[in-house]
Each structure stands twice: as structure tokens, then as C-alpha cells.
Amino acid sequence: MSFTITSLGGYIHEYQKSILNPAQFWEQIAEEFFWRKRWDVALSHDFSEPRVEWFRGGKLNIVENCLDRHLFTRGDQPAIIFEPNNGTGATPEPSRTLTYRQLHSEVCRASHALARLGVQQGDRVAIYLPLIPEAIIAMLACARLGAVHSVVFGGFSPQALRERTNDCGARVLITADGAYRGEKEVALKAAADEALRGCPLVTDVLVVKRTGAEVPMMKGGPKDRRDHWWHEALASSEPTHEAVATDAEDMLFVLYTSGSTGKPKGVVHTVGGYMVYTAYTFKNVFQCRSGHGSGSSIERDIFWCTADVGWITGHSYVTYGPLLAGSTILIYEGIPTYPDPGRYWEIIDKHHVTHFYTAPTAIRALQALGNEHIEPYHLSSLRVLGSVGEPLNEDAWHWYHHHIGKERCPVVDTWWQTETGGIMIAPLAGITPTKPAHVTLPLPGVQPVIVDTNGTELVGNSVEGNLCIRFPWPGILRTTFGDHERCRQSYFSQYPGLYFTGDGAKRDENGYIRILGRVDDVINVSGHRLGTAEIENAINEHPKVLESAVVGYPHPIKGEGIYAYAIVDLTDRSADNLVREIKETVVRIIGPIARPEVVILVPGLPKTRSGKIMRRILRSLAAGDASNFGDTSTLINPEIVEQIVAAVGSMSQP
Ligand code: WT7
């Protein structure tokens, strides 16, 4: 693709072009793709509604651009290298490669299978799968039909799956019998069955056989609906399929993410803009070479992004971005520490991975486990290291650069969000000079603005405030599913005319951007976003809890940990039992990623006259600072602060 930037001068030139005439800039990028019909209007927008339309009137299919377009030039090139959970040791399961041609055939078969279940353009399909090739095939099969996928992370609870499935009105669910995760076998189908007891709209379920575990296959009514084996449905389908031409602004997917209220938001991305944006950012940030044909691998990079397809990173930089660019991706089913903490480095060595993109939490965890786990492996294939999801602190940055990249590989710390669709602020690998803990400069087309709390723009360098974006880029979210007003409220109302990110940021003396973290009631645990209200709602489900408040606190590995305060009724339960039960309640309702690190049982919560919890006090205390609570004169119950301090002191927890 001819839009790859190759020098710092080139970047500056492209950036200026993109600001002077954004619509024209993105049109030139869009020309590189295959459109069934060219667009009429490149950009039409109004942030106050918000309404953003890119490439209106254009017709295309994104999967045709991911797969069909490459068949002639790279049909026999690997598209996906799959490394199973149990891919090493005495009885390893072999890794599996799908070429572009094979992936294309599988996607076509899966599209037919979905169509036979009645899935049509615009219908929603929920996907609840482990990180196996079928997860990518399922997403692409939906997109090929013009259907809308909603992937739910396999680690989410049945209740979380149910809520998301119902919110988007999915009629079909794709899941698996089970999943392998380290030592464990996860009963995914059982979790899906439990979720589906509350999903009246779901008529059919496709079940991928992964573990071979015995699972009940439910037969439905007279037309034999409900459960179907994926492999049977695909085996009886043709390997070719006429892709549906969608409008550029048709919905591609819904992906749920946490906000500051209790209910997750269904972030909506549309076909044309998302395609252009993920491909463009993938090529330029990672500088990944895709090579041609099936010949030697000299010029062909292997891109490994460790994210699960349940998160936006798994949509944009496991699936769409790399495939649009014709690259080879590696996916790994398991966890970084199974069977030992050298697993990631073993995989890089085994498959000659050139690009490695992961989260700071994984970097810090592996750093803490010791460098002896790296030593047995050759990491000389590596060319580029990436980071995403939370601030990459200086110490972890240096360790990553030195011990993994051997000081040969640029570290690209990429800032973006579920809502932005793709990377927004990041160095271009090998082009932009990097600086530890800084995400550096905006990509072409991205206009970051730092504002104070009144919304006044802080111009120039050496400023700190709230991070906003001034102008639409093709990957921006279009709405939140079923509730457009919520989209406006959440992102476009605080600072009129600007998209508000929810993050604090600093521009240093040289104009480099550093992300300071969330400024709203969202916490970022191991790169996973969780709303404090959502966790509080889960805690409050425990019958003995009267009220709760959740805050984040600095955690050495996870970035932030979850710290909960709960007012409880202690009759007939011991404090220890209650703490354990409360943690389990959160795991049951949301999933293990939301398990609170600490639960403090308290007699009350600090509240203002209007009944608002003063979280500032709870945050300082969680961070271990009981000396400075600031102004507490507006509290109606100032005496409660001392009692909470005492409760924290008396409850030591692992
Ligand atoms: C939030 C978005 C984008 C994919 C993964 C997370 C934080 C993301 C960085 C970074 C500092 C970062 C922000 C952002 N974040 N990348 N490189 N440096 N913070 O997606 O779940 O939508 O979360 O993650 O706070 O708002 P997400």
C-alpha cells in the first residue's frame, strides 16, 4: 500500500496535509482499497449531535478487502499462525497455519452456515470464543454477510454475556465446547447455556469443537433450532461466497466497553472508515512488511499482538488492520506463564516473530518473574516492540527495550481507545524518535487538544490537562448501540465541539504527549477498562451489602488495582467470610478480571450534603496515604473518615 510513511520528514509532510484538508487526505488513502462503488462525499459531520459520516454513498465489503483482494498476490502466504495453549513440552499440540486462501475458504463456508441460520445484513451475531482461528473466521464471516458482530471476551461471566447479547439484540451466538487456559479447561458452552437462559431472542447457537468435552447440544422446536456443531455446518457449505456489498456507513461491529455509569456501552464502528483507519495506522505505526507469494520469508514479517479478540485491540490489530495489509499474524491461545514464564519468548523464537505488541501489565509481570526465563531463547527475529492499554512506566519501558528488544527495536507506545477504532498517538516504528513513558506525536489526521476543566484550550508546550480531539478521523465511534444520547453525553457534551477522551495528558517541552491516566470514574486494571459504578453494582448484589464505593489504586503489576469499601450487615457472617463472598459475587457477575484486590468493611461512606460520595478521600486512603485528605468541610459525616481509616488499618489482606 502506497500510503506508508518512510521518514520523519514524510511524517511531518503527511501530518500537515492531513490538517489542511482532512477529507482529501483520507480520500487518497481510501483509493487504495477495493470499492464496489465509489463514495459520493468523503466527510460530513457535526460533533454536536454527534453525526460523523465518512465515504458516504460508497459500497464495499471489508472482508473482500481483507481476503479476496489478496488471493491473487498472496493466496499461499500464511495469514494466521495459531499457537495452541499446549504448544510446548512432552506432548505438544502442533501449531496450525492458515494461508490467505484457506482462511478465505473457511470464512466463505462460515458465511453460508450463518446465512442458513437466517442471518442477514444488519443482524447482530454474538461471539463468545477462545482465541482460536475460528474466532477470527466467525468475525469475518459476519462481516462478509454485512451482519454485525459483537464479540464478548471469553473471560466474562454468563451474566455479562447475557447483558451484552440482549442489549445488541443478537439472534445467533457462536461459542465453543470449552477453552484451554494454562492448566485449566474452561467450560465455555456451560457458561453460554447459562447466559442463554435469559436471552429470548437467540434462536441458534453454533458450537466450535475445541476441547472435545462432552456438552449438551440443545434441540429446539419443530425446526430443530438452537445448537449446531460449527464443523458440521461448515463441512456442508461451499468454500466460495459472494460477499454482500455494504454501505460505507453500515455497522461493522458493536463492542461493549465500560464507562462511568453502571451499564457497559456498545461502541459502534462502521465499515468504510474503520477499514481505512485500521489499515493506515497498522502500516504506519508498525512498519510491517507483508511480502508477496509463498516464497522465502525474508521480506515477510510475523506480527504478534497478544490481545484477545474480545477487546478492541483484537479487532483492529489482530484481525482487521493486519489482514487488510496482507500481513501474517500469530495468535496464541494461552497465558504468558504456561507452562512457564518463558512461554512468550519461546513463541517468538519458534515462529521468528518480528513484531510483538502487548500490554504494560504483561511486560511488568514478566519482568518481575526474572530475566532467566528470557535467556534460553533467540529473540533476534524481533524488529519492533509495541505497547498498548495503559501507561508504560519508564522502568518497564527500559526493561522491554533492553532485555526483549536488545536495544535494537523501537518501542512504540500506542495510545488509543475502543471508541477511536485505531491508534491515535504513537511513534512510527524506526521513524519517530521515542521517549520512555511518552506516546509522542499524533498520527496524521489526528488533532489532539489539551484543555483545562473549563474547556479552555491550553496551547503550546509544557501544559497539562484533559485530552480531547478536535476533528473527526475515519475510525471514530459513530454511536453507542441503541442509545445515541448516551454517546453524545459521554464524549461530546463536556467540551462542546470536541471529542473528550476521559484521559488526562501532558505535552512536554518538545511537544511530546504523555498520557496521565483516566480522569473519570473508570479504572484500568491490567489494561482492562472497568467502571467503578459497574463493580459497585455487582458488590451491591450481595444480600448483606447495604452500599459500596470502588476506587482504583496504584498496583505494581496491574497498573491499577480494585479497592472496594462496603457497608455491610454483619449478623450471621464473619468479616472474613463476607470479604470472600463479596469478591466472589463480583467474579460471578462480571468475571475474574473485576475481582477486587481489597474489600474493606466500613460503617459508612464519606458523603457531601447532596449525597455524593467523596471519592478523593477513598482514593488517597487506598493509595496508602491517610495523612492528607484535603478539604473535608463539606462532608455531612466527617467523623466517618477516622472510622474508615481504622477499618483499613485493621483489615490486612493479601
Ligand atoms: C484507555 C482505553 C486501546 C486498546 C486497549 C484499551 C488507556 C490505552 C494507552 C497508552 C496510556 C493508555 C487510556 C484509554 N490507554 N493506551 N499507550 N498509554 N494509557 O482500550 O479499553 O478502550 O481503554 O486505555 O486510559 O482511555 P480501552
Side-chain angles (χ1 to χ4, degrees):
M1 289 173 168
S2 63
F3 50 66
T4 311
I5 296 167
T6 54
S7 67
L8 192 57
Y11 160 73
I12 294 167
H13 179 73
E14 291 302 306
Y15 190 81
Q16 281 165 348
K17 243 173 48 182
S18 77
I19 303 306
L20 283 175
N21 194 336
Q24 198 179 43
F25 173 82
W26 288 111
E27 274 191 301
Q28 275 175 17
I29 315 283
E31 308 269 5
E32 299 272 329
F33 296 85
F34 175 65
W35 297 79
R36 297 270 190 99
K37 173 186 170 289
R38 200 190 151 89
W39 54 92
D40 304 317
V41 188
L43 170 65
S44 156
H45 81 287
D46 178 352
F47 265 1
S48 66
E49 298 188 32
R51 181 181 55 81
V52 179
E53 294 171 302
W54 281 98
F55 314 115
R56 190 168 72 203
K59 291 240 177 223
L60 75 157
N61 187 284
I62 191 169
V63 181
E64 231 164 35
N65 280 278
C66 286
L67 303 178
D68 306 50
R69 190 168 53 108
H70 298 313
L71 291 183
F72 202 64
T73 48
R74 47 174 70 96
D76 297 322
Q77 176 193 307
I80 302 177
I81 300 169
F82 170 61
E83 175 67 22
N85 178 59
N86 175 32
T88 182
T91 51
E93 180 183 333
S95 54
R96 182 146 69 98
T97 297
L98 279 106
T99 64
Y100 268 88
R101 200 180 315 286
Q102 289 165 331
L103 179 59
H104 176 261
S105 304
E106 291 296 288
V107 169
C108 289
R109 290 183 205 275
S111 292
H112 284 299
L114 287 169
R116 269 206 308 278
L117 300 179
V119 174
Q120 293 181 356
Q121 189 171 359
D123 288 352
R124 273 79 61 205
V125 174
I127 298 176
Y128 188 58
L129 283 172
L131 187 50
I132 53 178
E134 286 78 1
I136 294 170
I137 296 166
M139 291 162 80
L140 297 175
C142 292
R144 198 171 179 91
L145 291 172
V148 177
H149 55 72
S150 175
V151 185
V152 178
F153 173 54
F156 273 125
S157 70
Q159 189 162 326
L161 172 62
R162 178 186 300 165
E163 198 180 335
R164 288 158 173 77
T165 303
N166 287 338
D167 188 83
C168 72
R171 257 208 46 230
V172 170
L173 171 72
I174 306 175
T175 188
D177 51 359
Y180 295 117
R181 246 188 102 66
E183 304 266 324
K184 288 191 228 145
E185 210 177 294
V186 183
L188 213 58
K189 175 66 162 55
D193 283 340
E194 191 185 329
L196 291 181
R197 279 199 276 278
C199 299
L201 288 176
V202 175
T203 54
D204 294 273
V205 181
L206 276 170
V207 185
V208 175
K209 204 188 252 307
R210 174 61 187 126
T211 61
E214 188 85 26
V215 293
M217 294 294 280
M218 198 189 290
K219 299 286 171 198
K223 283 152 91 194
D224 198 23
R225 315 214 86 172
R226 253 301 303 256
D227 297 351
H228 318 264
W229 284 111
W230 165 276
H231 61 274
E232 290 175 2
L234 265 67
S236 58
S237 302
E238 289 294 314
T240 54
H241 174 270
E242 178 67 27
V244 171
T246 55
D247 281 331
E249 279 298 335
D250 279 350
M251 226 182 267
L252 174 62
F253 64 84
V254 185
L255 182 61
Y256 285 85
T257 189
S258 299
S260 17
T261 64
K263 204 170 155 276
K265 295 179 274 216
V267 169
V268 170
H269 285 287
T270 56
V271 179
Y274 180 82
M275 172 180 79
V276 169
Y277 199 67
T278 52
Y280 181 78
T281 52
F282 173 75
K283 280 302 276 184
N284 283 304
V285 172
F286 297 108
Q287 300 281 316
C288 194
R289 297 169 302 196
S290 39
H292 278 280
S294 54
S296 96
S297 62
I298 304 272
E299 283 289 300
R300 202 170 58 227
D301 288 333
I302 310 279
F303 184 82
W304 179 20
C305 166
T306 64
D308 190 272
V309 286
W311 313 109
I312 190 69
T313 312
H315 285 59
S316 304
Y317 301 109
V318 173
T319 306
Y320 290 105
L323 295 178
L324 286 163
S327 296
T328 299
I329 57 165
L330 184 137
I331 58 171
Y332 167 50
E333 181 184 31
I335 55 174
T337 49
Y338 177 79
D340 62 61
R343 185 67 163 122
Y344 271 9
W345 323 129
E346 189 250 346
I347 294 172
I348 292 172
D349 189 348
K350 176 174 172 184
H351 295 286
H352 309 291
V353 170
T354 56
H355 290 64
F356 179 62
Y357 188 31
T358 195
T361 191
I363 298 169
R364 289 189 295 260
L366 293 166
Q367 176 183 9
L369 287 163
N371 295 341
E372 64 272 22
H373 300 291
I374 311 168
E375 275 146 27
Y377 305 107
H378 285 289
L379 302 182
S380 52
S381 58
L382 284 173
R383 290 205 303 115
V384 175
L385 299 176
S387 173
V388 60
E390 19 155 3
L392 179 63
N393 50 302
E394 279 195 44
D395 186 48
W397 193 100
H398 285 295
W399 181 83
Y400 198 30
H401 186 240
H402 181 78
H403 291 279
I404 305 306
K406 317 290 182 197
E407 303 197 347
R408 287 183 298 104
C409 307
V411 172
V412 291
D413 182 355
T414 63
W415 176 85
W416 58 296
Q417 310 179 294
T418 303
E419 294 85 346
T420 70
I423 297 168
M424 299 287 281
I425 309 179
L428 310 183
I431 293 170
T432 315
T434 56
K435 178 177 178 184
H438 288 69
V439 293
T440 75
L441 301 171
L443 297 196
V446 175
Q447 303 186 33
V449 180
I450 296 179
V451 299
D452 66 15
T453 43
N454 301 319
T456 309
E457 182 177 346
L458 304 172
V459 286
N461 293 341
S462 306
V463 294
E464 182 178 325
N466 290 345
L467 180 64
C468 296
I469 314 287
R470 197 201 315 275
F471 196 85
W473 62 100
I476 190 174
L477 87 162
R478 302 302 197 266
T479 188
T480 45
F481 194 90
D483 191 351
H484 192 64
E485 174 57 16
R486 192 161 176 215
C487 175
R488 197 187 65 77
Q489 283 275 343
S490 310
Y491 311 104
F492 298 92
S493 68
Q494 291 89 339
Y495 305 114
L498 300 175
Y499 165 83
F500 176 44
T501 65
D503 280 322
K506 197 171 166 168
R507 206 182 295 113
D508 78 2
E509 60 288 359
N510 300 314
Y512 267 26
I513 293 174
R514 174 178 195 149
I515 304 296
L516 302 171
R518 303 289 306 196
V519 295
D520 52 6
D521 290 327
V522 167
I523 46 188
N524 193 326
V525 184
S526 301
H528 301 317
R529 215 161 121 179
L530 294 159
T532 54
E534 199 182 340
I535 306 169
E536 288 162 7
N537 288 349
I539 292 176
N540 298 347
E541 291 282 309
H542 190 289
K544 294 278 173 183
V545 174
L546 307 175
E547 199 183 351
S548 63
V550 165
V551 296
Y553 73 101
H555 187 283
I557 306 286
K558 299 180 171 189
E560 275 188 290
I562 301 173
Y563 203 102
Y565 300 85
I567 309 176
V568 293
D569 162 10
L570 259 178
T571 47
D572 82 38
R573 296 276 216 295
S574 77
D576 281 355
N577 280 345
L578 255 183
V579 165
R580 191 158 24 82
E581 286 175 25
I582 289 172
K583 291 181 181 177
E584 278 160 17
T585 304
V586 178
V587 171
R588 180 169 56 79
I589 292 179
I590 305 176
I593 55 171
R595 180 197 297 274
E597 227 79 38
V598 182
V599 176
I600 304 289
L601 307 181
V602 292
L605 292 164
K607 288 196 177 163
T608 63
R609 223 158 284 281
S610 61
K612 237 180 101 96
I613 296 170
M614 207 183 262
R615 285 168 193 278
R616 181 166 48 79
I617 296 177
L618 300 178
R619 267 189 225 114
S620 323
L621 202 49
D625 180 6
S627 60
N628 178 20
F629 294 134
D631 179 15
T632 55
S633 62
T634 56
L635 288 179
I636 43 163
N637 54 348
E639 73 290 348
I640 204 72
V641 177
E642 282 314 307
Q643 295 174 27
I644 297 176
V645 172
V648 169
S650 70
M651 298 185 67
S652 61
Q653 296 184 39

